Amino acid sequence: MAGALLTVLGALLVSAGYGWASDCNEMSPIVIVPGILGSQLEAKLSKTKHTPHWYCAKNSDWFTMWLNVKELLPGVVDCFSYNVMLHYDSATDTYHDTEGVETRIPGFGNTSGIEYLDPHAEYYGATVYFHPMVQHFVDKGYERGKTIVSAPFDWRYAPSEFNK
């Protein structure tokens, strides 16, 4: 919450003119770090073991797992929960994805992964996130992926996991 608040505060300062470089006409870059659950999460499935239900996919190419509104439907949410789960290995003191699930975070360095949480729902605005703020700065002359970027992260991991 505090990170998102600081991001918005910084963006407002830039908008007010504090972000302009004093010795040239270049705009200071804006880096948006989304809050918890604020980054899209993609998955690729190649399971050889069981799934919670017979209708849960075992194999797939990359798809949006979070946030995909369809993944949260009754029954299907069990498949989602199984796929999104992290498992702790006490021997190595690390976490890992469910066996047969590979994940990645899309959009690092651009804003595509944070403007809408469900990229397929952008047309009806159900999962709009940072789009209004990003669009505000684009209208002021910022350029997506160049002067306004994002740093999405895998929100499933505790901060201590990033120090290993």
Side-chain angles (χ1 to χ4, degrees):
M1 181 69 169
L5 183 60
L6 288 174
T7 301
V8 171
L9 179 60
L12 291 173
L13 290 173
V14 170
S15 178
Y18 292 101
W20 296 94
S22 59
D23 59 344
C24 64
N25 288 331
E26 292 184 24
M27 292 180 237
S28 295
I30 297 173
V31 179
I32 303 169
V33 180
I36 301 296
L37 301 176
S39 302
Q40 292 175 12
L41 181 63
E42 293 181 340
K44 182 177 183 179
L45 306 178
S46 57
K47 298 177 188 170
T48 56
K49 296 192 176 187
H50 76 285
T51 59
H53 302 291
W54 61 268
Y55 52 81
C56 294
K58 286 191 173 191
N59 294 290
S60 76
D61 200 3
W62 291 103
F63 69 98
T64 301
M65 183 165 54
W66 178 262
L67 174 71
N68 183 340
V69 176
K70 294 175 194 171
E71 292 281 314
L72 303 178
L73 293 172
V76 181
V77 74
D78 297 338
C79 307
F80 164 78
S81 298
Y82 183 77
N83 290 334
V84 79
M85 189 181 332
L86 287 178
H87 303 272
Y88 179 68
D89 182 347
S90 60
T92 60
D93 191 31
T94 59
Y95 291 86
H96 58 87
D97 288 321
T98 298
E99 186 177 333
V101 178
E102 183 181 350
T103 59
R104 68 182 182 191
I105 306 301
F108 193 90
N110 61 57
T111 60
S112 64
I114 63 161
E115 290 193 51
Y116 298 90
L117 292 181
D118 183 346
H120 306 103
E122 68 183 85
Y123 299 107
Y124 54 89
T127 62
V128 66
Y129 190 40
F130 274 101
H131 177 73
M133 187 175 97
V134 170
Q135 190 59 52
H136 169 79
F137 288 105
V138 167
D139 293 346
K140 298 273 186 198
Y142 280 81
E143 206 174 327
R144 286 178 174 91
K146 292 189 178 178
T147 52
I148 185 165
V149 298
S150 71
F153 60 95
D154 193 335
W155 42 264
R156 300 174 303 156
Y157 289 93
S160 61
E161 287 299 300
F162 295 108
N163 295 331
K164 294 181 180 184

